[in-house]
């Protein structure tokens, strides 16, 4: 009995010490305190008044307003990708002899990424609001090129007519979208989601986008009132925490990091059991275990003329594209990071990107240190210029080689094909885990 009491006392003491140690007295971004540690002045509360003591009357204040903040609002369809170090570059044999993505170690900050490719339904929604709110010219520029399906030697005419708009293809990835159009969609999506967010913060909308964050009744309206401009349709200030960062195309480094999902290979401390050729373990393209053993892990072209295997024993179940949730997600929870459709990334293409790079959040945004004039595209001695953009991931029309995250290809930013789609990304503010 005495031994039991002593053990219980020790456990209670240990828990108390641990709790005390975890409860830091230092201010943080989520809990900055009531006073400035730099000036010792009181912060104004959410209603624009200083925090009052018991029995004291409300006193208006022109002090610095610091609103409650719990965490970044998570936008629709986004998955958190914890940042870290990884080996960027091609792990497959360079069968194309491009030598444009040699291995190098880089680090990527934490960010968010769409768990799926943007589907036809998502893009039709965008066109609906663009047609309603913009000019006919803007709407025409936003339309996908459905003729990318046309081939004079193939009967793909039905895809030209029906793939984008027919309900049977609603949740198939949108294609025929150029890099420019993908960026325009990202800008519209940012504004649209933040507009809904502003209405919720102002207490004017009970419907619309529901985001993963809870507020006490009246708190959102009070915070919004403190920081909104005079216009009722104005967007809340960044300081309110009710503004999402921009949706955008992922950088090539972000896309490759998210696709590999090396977090699934970690087994102790910073040890990783293996490198990855594909977004899953091993060199096989089939599921190695479970009830789906033997089924393909991605939608790709197995061999010349073989897009889906034979009837009754289908290879990957898709002649062309397939629904955006069809195949297993990788260890970050992202679907179709290999196959189905290639995906645009933000980077300008340069064959020497692996030489001129930063090892933190690398991005090739233009011809810095590798000017397009060096390639003499004007005299047709090269196709490299500042309007070529990278795409990655492989598609329904590609062999397995292109499913490897380290492979890369390029296309003019105003061009589109039936094999390229996109998904969006967003920075993570003040959070790495």
């Amino acid at each position: 009995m005495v031994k039991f009491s002593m053990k219980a006392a020790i456990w209670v003491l240990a828990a108390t010490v641990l709790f005390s140690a975890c409860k830091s007295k230092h201010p943080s971004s989520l809990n900055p305190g009531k006073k400035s540690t730099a000036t010792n002045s009181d912060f104004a509360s959410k209603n624009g008044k200083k925090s009052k003591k018991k029995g004291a009357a409300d006193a208006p204040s022109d002090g610095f307003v610091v609103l409650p903040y719990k965490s970044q609002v998570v936008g629709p369809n986004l998955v958190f990708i914890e940042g870290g170090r990884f080996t960027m570059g091609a792990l497959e044999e360079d069968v194309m002899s491009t030598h444009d993505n040699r291995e190098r170690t880089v680090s990527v900050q934490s960010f968010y990424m769409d768990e799926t490719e943007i589907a036809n339904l998502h893009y039709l929604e965008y066109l609906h609001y663009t047609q309603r709110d913009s000019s006919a010219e803007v709407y025409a520029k936003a339309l996908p090129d459905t003729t990318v399906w046309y081939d004079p030697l193939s009967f793909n005419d039905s895809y030209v007519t029906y793939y984008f708009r027919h309900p049977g293809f609603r949740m198939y990835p949108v294609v025929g979208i150029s890099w420019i159009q993908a960026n325009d969609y990202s800008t519209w999506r940012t504004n649209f989601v933040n507009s809904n967010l502003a209405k919720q913060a102002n207490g004017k909308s009970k419907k619309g986008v529901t985001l993963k964050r809870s507020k006490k009744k009246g708190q959102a309206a009070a915070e919004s009132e403190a920081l909104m401009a005079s216009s009722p349709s104005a967007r809340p200030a960044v300081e309110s925490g009710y503004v999402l960062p921009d949706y955008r195309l992922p950088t090539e480094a972000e896309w490759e990091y998210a696709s590999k999902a090396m977090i699934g290979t970690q087994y102790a401390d910073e040890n990783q059991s293996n490198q990855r050729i594909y977004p899953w373990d091993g060199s096989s393209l089939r599921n190695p275990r479970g009830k789906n053993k033997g089924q393909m892990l991605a939608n790709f072209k197995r061999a010349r003329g073989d897009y889906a295997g034979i009837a009754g024993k289908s290879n990957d179940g898709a002649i062309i594209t397939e629904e955006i949730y069809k195949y297993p997600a990788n260890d970050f929870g992202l679907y179709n990071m290999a196959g189905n459709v290639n995906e645009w990334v933000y980077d300008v293409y340069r064959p020497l990107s692996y030489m001129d790079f930063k090892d933190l959040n690398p991005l090739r945004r233009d011809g810095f240190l590798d000017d397009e004039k060096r390639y003499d595209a004007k005299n047709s001695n090269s196709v490299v210029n500042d309007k070529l953009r990278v795409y990655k991931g492989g598609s329904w029309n590609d062999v397995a080689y292109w499913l490897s995250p380290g492979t890369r290809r390029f296309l003019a930013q105003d061009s589109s094909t039936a094999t390229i789609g996109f998904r969006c990304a967003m920075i993570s503010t003040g959070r790495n885990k």
Side-chain angles (χ1 to χ4, degrees), residues 179 346-349 361-368 386 389:
W179 182 92
Y346 191 83
D347 295 54
V348 164
Y349 175 78
N361 301 323
L363 168 67
R364 166 65 69 181
R365 68 177 78 242
D366 52 32
F368 180 68
D386 289 346
R389 299 289 173 169

Side-chain angles (χ1 to χ4, degrees), residues 308-314:
I310 62 174
K313 193 61 178 178
S314 185

Side-chain angles (χ1 to χ4, degrees), residues 387-404:
K387 294 183 179 180
L388 283 184
R389 299 289 173 169
V390 177
Y391 66 90
K392 300 172 75 72
S395 76
W396 58 272
N397 196 35
D398 290 316
V399 293
Y401 172 80
W402 297 108
L403 303 185
S404 181

